[in-house]
């Protein structure tokens, strides 16, 4: 299986899930900062991902899967013993999917593209930061009641995704200081050996 990724982008989430699940991946980096996007092997990424964004997971039979929330569920279901997603058909699975969707629509797409593009203007960016702060306050309160992870005691793919997106706060000027439970969550997840392994494979900085 091959994961097309960009260092520190949302593709870190499936990368972490694969590490946690013990699934070995071939990794191919994509330069998403340049147009057209080209992979490290020199392939035009548009031929792999028509929408031009990572992550893309290519299965051994050549099937290409897109959309991070779907990819992490596929990976988690390949290794059910790792407990990275509750079993399909259960209410817990629906709750877990609600978290994935919350992170995708309320957080991921509020940080990106808005906070990565100063050309959208100060007003748009401060509105995005305000909305993000409201959503992070909700997550912080949830973690206070439910610690240590979004689904309770067990680390799931939803935590990998939340960690990936909230990790962008440092360079998008999102202030995490009002959210002590979320900061503790970031430290807790960032200290997991498999999370560190995924970050190191992407040559990201990890906490000492
Ligand atoms: N809906 C997609 C969005 C993925 C996405 O936003 N990817 C960003 C990196 S975090 C990207 O590759 N952007 C480059 C581009 O859109 O050209 C998903 O959830 O998988």
């Amino acid at each position: 299986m091959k994961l097309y990724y960009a260092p520190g982008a949302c593709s870190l989430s499936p990368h972490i899930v694969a590490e946690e699940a013990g699934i070995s991946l071939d990794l191919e980096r994509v330069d998403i900062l340049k147009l057209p996007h080209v992979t490290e092997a020199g392939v035009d990424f548009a031929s792999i991902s028509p929408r031009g964004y990572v992550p893309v997971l290519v299965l051994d039979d050549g099937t290409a899967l897109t959309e991070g929330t779907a990819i992490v569920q596929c990976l988690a279901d390949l290794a059910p013993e790792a407990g990275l997603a509750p079993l399909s058909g259960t209410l817990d699975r629906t709750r877990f999917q609600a978290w994935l969707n919350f992170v995708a629509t309320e957080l991921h797409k509020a940080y990106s593209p808005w906070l990565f593009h100063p050309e959208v203007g100060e007003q748009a960016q401060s509105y995005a930061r305000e909305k993000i702060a409201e959503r992070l306050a909700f997550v912080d309160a949830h973690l206070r009641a439910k610690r240590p992870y979004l689904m309770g005691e067990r680390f799931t793919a939803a935590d990998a995704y939340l960690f990936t997106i909230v990790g962008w706060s440092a360079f998008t000027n999102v202030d995490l200081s009002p959210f002590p439970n979320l900061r503790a969550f970031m430290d807790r997840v960032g200290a997991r050996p498999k999370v560190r392994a995924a970050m190191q494979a992407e040559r990201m900085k990890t906490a000492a």
Side-chain angles (χ1 to χ4, degrees):
M1 259 187 275
K2 183 188 273 189
L3 179 70
Y4 289 89
Y5 78 102
C10 53
S11 43
L12 177 64
S13 160
H15 190 176
I16 290 173
V17 173
E19 282 282 348
E20 293 273 353
I23 295 170
S24 109
L25 290 178
D26 292 331
L27 294 171
E28 187 154 343
R29 197 178 61 247
V30 182
D31 187 346
I32 59 170
L33 299 179
K34 286 203 194 115
L35 278 172
H37 300 334
V38 174
T39 77
E40 65 183 305
V43 175
D44 179 358
F45 188 52
S47 68
I48 294 151
S49 168
R51 293 183 295 282
Y53 50 64
V54 293
V56 175
L57 181 71
V58 179
L59 305 181
D60 292 341
D61 69 359
T63 306
L65 300 179
T66 58
E67 300 302 323
T69 56
I71 292 172
V72 294
Q73 293 186 71
C74 172
L75 290 167
D77 288 341
L78 287 173
E81 66 289 351
L84 293 160
L87 289 182
S88 285
T90 62
L91 202 52
D92 264 354
R93 180 65 170 237
T94 304
R95 289 194 188 100
F96 161 80
Q97 287 169 325
W99 277 117
L100 288 177
N101 197 60
F102 173 86
V103 176
T105 59
E106 303 296 332
L107 292 174
H108 182 173
K109 287 297 149 186
Y111 280 83
S112 163
W114 307 106
L115 300 187
F116 290 90
H117 290 274
E119 66 273 21
V120 302
E122 188 46 44
Q123 196 182 6
Q125 290 203 322
S126 64
Y127 184 75
R129 280 194 192 91
E130 237 172 73
K131 275 289 161 204
I132 288 169
E134 276 175 29
R135 301 306 184 231
L136 295 183
F138 166 74
V139 174
D140 190 72
H142 175 81
L143 290 170
R144 184 169 57 235
K146 267 268 191 183
R147 284 194 261 214
Y149 298 115
L150 288 174
M151 292 295 294
E153 290 304 314
R154 193 150 201 169
F155 177 87
T156 69
D159 299 302
Y161 193 19
L162 178 65
F163 173 80
T164 297
I165 302 305
V166 174
W168 296 343
S169 302
F171 47 89
T172 53
N173 215 4
V174 171
D175 181 14
L176 296 185
S177 62
F179 312 121
N181 304 295
L182 181 59
R183 281 190 282 111
F185 167 90
M186 294 300 286
D187 291 344
R188 191 176 303 124
V189 175
R192 292 176 71 89
K194 303 293 186 181
V195 172
R196 293 169 63 86
M199 293 174 76
Q200 281 159 4
E202 297 194 10
R203 301 193 195 291
M204 295 171 67
K205 253 193 15 213
T206 50

